[in-house]
Amino acid sequence: MSAIDYAEKIPNNVNLVGDRTLQRALEHWQPHFLQWWHEMGPNDFEGADVYLRTAISVDAQGWAHYGKVRMPDYRWGIFLADPVAERKIGFGDAMGQPAWQQIPGEYRSTLRRLIVTQGDTEPASVEQQRLLGHTCPSLYDLRNLFQINVEEGRHLWAMVYLLHAYFGRDGREEAEELLARHSGDADKPRILTTFNEPISDWLSLYCFTYFTDRDGKYQLKSLAESAFDPLARTCRFMLTEEAHHMFVGETGLSRVVKRSLEVMKEVGSDDPDRIRAAGAVDLPLLQKYLNFWCSSSLDLFGSEISSNSAANFANGLKGRPDEDQYEDHGLREKTLNLVTPQGASDVPMLNALNEVMRESYLKDCEIGVKRWNRSIERAGSQFRLSLPSSRFRRSIGAWAGQPVDPQGNLMQRELYEKSLASWIPSEGDKAFVHSLMQKVIEPGRMAGWIAPPERGINNLPLEYEYVKLH
Ligand SMILES: [Fe+2]
Ligand SMILES: [Fe+2]
């Protein structure tokens, strides 16, 4: 196991002291990062002591240290998972050859684009979430938000390390650009649409961490298969941190459902107006948020048919998540039956890999929905939550701009436009959700619209003061 050097300005397990040029370049970028954090991060909470975990090793057992930290003092560093001895390329046309420790010239620009696109999402999400601290439903939740924020900051470091270490001057320029684009900025927005959507309430945050961080999981898993070994190792360790982000989404939405069911019981009705009057989120409203964030995240996988994804796979740059689970790693002979508005047809599997990934992502998303529905059923309600069809409200790919209902049926455009407000949050819905967002900062207390979590962080009681505000 490679130890992490904390005596260094930049904690790392990549032997940065052994490469003075790289070390200097990253130490030059560091104050720019801190300035970005100070301007675009959760800067109203810079004085708060937050109970955070910090990576101290890449060992699966006990990789993190917990303690109170001011966020600007967080030790953002560069951590790669341990190398696999004599690792071989696991898919594509070069399958079985040694993994690359350097980038082959012909794949340089494609790999740079993949790394920049992934890297861009990390600071984007910090920017999207920067004001949520003012409306936290509890100190426990506030701490989780900040934990996610500092780790997304570290994920930016992970990608910037690769850019600096393997892409020379181009890479250094890209690293600066990662701090210059901003979420929702009219002139210099973030690269992907979902990362320009505002997140101004906690229901959206839970949906974002459930759906969009899970897209992140799938992207990281497919890059963790890459023939470019430093990228694979970087992504493997990022996945360790990413699991917590999805945990926040899944348990956050579970707690919203739980509270909703309690209120339904208290008022003896499932009438949305009465649930709302009692200060909770009615289940049909939650369904609209699921429809919005799920469909928005589905676009992140790209077009159903993509020659880029075919080339990336064939060349060994980007595999399928959990490539091991498949038998055929070349895919030259396989086809997939794809249904588009023009009808069904068989397309080469290599060109349909975005769709393959989207389908396995949706299966992963279903797990939480099934759990929520079991608790709804146990509470005696007929209501069921569901994921929208992958054809619904798409902006990219074969179904882009098509008038399709959440069940996936094509319909008349006029009716579609009229119905949209009943499928995704309307202005009134958003105003209601915003009205619920009142800050609760007494240790152990929860806002009225969300149930307490089952347990605290790192075996601490729920009443622990997870964030000490000054
Ligand atoms: Fe991340
Ligand atoms: Fe994340």
Side-chain angles (χ1 to χ4, degrees):
M1 184 194 76
S2 22
I4 290 174
D5 187 349
Y6 267 95
E8 290 295 312
K9 242 183 177 173
I10 302 167
N12 71 89
N13 69 348
V14 294
N15 189 28
L16 214 48
V17 276
D19 187 340
R20 298 296 295 171
T21 319
L22 176 59
Q23 186 180 33
R24 262 199 300 275
L26 285 165
E27 285 181 1
H28 179 74
W29 186 78
Q30 190 175 34
H32 301 183
F33 168 81
L34 290 171
Q35 184 62 25
W36 165 81
W37 178 270
H38 176 64
E39 284 169 14
M40 302 305 293
N43 48 14
D44 297 319
F45 297 86
E46 292 202 328
D49 290 309
V50 189
Y51 186 71
L52 294 176
R53 71 175 184 192
T54 305
I56 50 163
S57 102
V58 292
D59 190 0
Q61 259 72 49
W63 59 274
H65 162 83
Y66 288 79
K68 287 255 171 86
V69 186
R70 283 174 67 251
M71 285 184 280
D73 299 334
Y74 191 77
R75 300 304 311 272
W76 286 284
I78 300 162
F79 316 121
L80 271 60
D82 287 331
V84 174
E86 289 174 52
R87 179 169 172 253
K88 303 278 191 290
I89 300 172
F91 61 93
D93 297 342
M95 166 121 186
Q97 291 176 20
W100 316 321
Q101 299 308 322
Q102 290 295 332
I103 298 172
E106 65 266 42
Y107 303 137
R108 199 179 150 88
S109 66
T110 310
L111 270 171
R112 193 182 68 206
R113 206 189 57 239
L114 286 173
I115 291 168
V116 166
T117 307
Q118 178 62 40
D120 194 66
T121 66
E122 316 285 356
S125 66
V126 176
E127 294 166 351
Q128 284 172 292
Q129 299 165 15
R130 61 190 295 266
L131 295 176
L132 285 173
H134 293 293
T135 54
C136 63
S138 72
L139 284 184
Y140 164 92
D141 289 283
L142 185 62
R143 177 267 170 201
N144 282 344
L145 169 69
F146 292 156
Q147 182 70 62
I148 293 172
N149 291 163
V150 293
E151 283 174 352
E152 302 303 11
R154 205 204 66 73
H155 291 175
L156 172 59
W157 271 96
M159 294 296 124
V160 163
Y161 162 71
L162 294 174
L163 290 170
H164 272 237
Y166 297 96
F167 294 89
R169 182 218 278 257
D170 295 356
R172 290 194 293 278
E173 282 172 9
E174 293 284 12
E176 294 297 332
E177 284 297 298
L178 284 167
L179 299 175
R181 285 184 292 270
H182 296 310
S183 179
D185 191 293
D187 299 325
K188 259 182 168 288
R190 290 294 175 183
I191 296 170
L192 301 168
T193 309
T194 312
F195 292 87
N196 287 301
E197 303 276 6
I199 303 180
S200 50
D201 65 82
W202 282 74
L203 190 55
S204 297
L205 175 74
Y206 297 133
C207 289
F208 182 92
T209 44
Y210 188 79
F211 290 109
T212 313
D213 280 274
R214 192 178 309 275
D215 160 73
K217 167 182 162 181
Y218 275 75
Q219 302 300 338
L220 292 177
K221 268 176 173 277
S222 62
L223 294 173
E225 302 287 339
S226 180
F228 178 40
D229 201 43
L231 174 62
R233 290 172 55 204
T234 306
C235 291
R236 266 169 49 214
F237 185 65
M238 289 165 76
L239 281 163
T240 315
E241 292 164 313
E242 202 59 48
H244 172 70
H245 310 179
M246 282 168 289
F247 164 87
V248 169
E250 176 158 4
T251 54
L253 292 173
S254 296
R255 290 160 56 206
V256 171
V257 170
K258 188 173 178 202
R259 185 63 195 138
S260 190
L261 294 170
E262 284 168 7
V263 170
M264 281 159 69
K265 201 171 165 197
E266 278 163 31
V267 302
S269 163
D270 60 3
D271 175 5
D273 288 338
R274 295 193 56 192
I275 306 302
R276 291 190 189 195
V281 174
D282 53 290
L283 294 176
L285 178 57
L286 175 59
Q287 179 64 57
K288 288 179 164 189
Y289 274 76
L290 299 184
N291 287 345
F292 179 87
W293 284 103
C294 183
S295 55
S296 167
S297 302
L298 285 169
D299 271 340
L300 294 169
F301 292 92
S303 294
E304 282 75 3
I305 300 173
S306 162
S307 52
N308 282 345
S309 75
N312 289 346
F313 186 89
N315 295 332
L317 308 186
K318 190 175 173 185
R320 288 164 295 184
D322 305 305
E323 191 59 48
D324 273 359
Q325 68 175 319
Y326 299 98
E327 267 170 31
D328 181 349
H329 301 285
L331 301 181
R332 286 284 176 200
E333 315 295 325
K334 284 233 162 62
T335 58
L336 183 77
N337 191 265
L338 202 65
V339 182
T340 68
Q342 288 74 44
S345 61
D346 286 330
V347 298
M349 182 68 92
L350 267 181
N351 292 66
L353 288 177
N354 288 344
E355 190 58 15
V356 171
M357 213 155 122
R358 188 162 25 236
E359 278 170 13
S360 53
Y361 164 82
L362 276 171
K363 271 195 202 123
D364 205 40
C365 291
E366 281 288 354
I367 296 172
V369 177
K370 280 196 188 123
R371 187 169 310 144
W372 304 327
N373 279 336
R374 275 200 299 275
S375 58
I376 295 170
E377 191 177 1
R378 270 200 304 275
S381 166
Q382 304 295 312
F383 194 88
R384 294 293 177 267
L385 293 165
S386 59
L387 297 178
S389 157
S390 61
R391 302 171 190 176
F392 175 63
R393 216 178 68 90
R394 290 288 303 282
S395 306
I396 289 175
W399 293 92
Q402 295 288 332
V404 171
D405 69 13
Q407 285 69 47
N409 308 305
L410 268 166
M411 59 192 297
Q412 273 191 324
R413 186 165 298 273
E414 214 177 311
L415 187 58
Y416 169 81
E417 304 285 356
K418 252 193 245 154
S419 311
L420 207 52
S422 65
W423 294 328
I424 60 172
S426 65
E427 289 311 312
D429 294 329
K430 289 185 213 167
F432 169 71
V433 170
H434 281 175
S435 76
L436 295 179
M437 300 294 129
Q438 307 291 338
K439 176 154 84 175
V440 177
I441 50 170
E442 222 175 281
R445 247 196 73 205
M446 292 291 139
W449 56 273
I450 190 164
E454 279 169 24
R455 57 188 71 82
I457 307 293
N458 196 27
N459 295 321
L460 287 174
L462 210 52
E463 297 70 34
Y464 180 74
E465 194 172 14
Y466 289 101
V467 182
K468 192 157 178 55
L469 299 162
H470 294 288

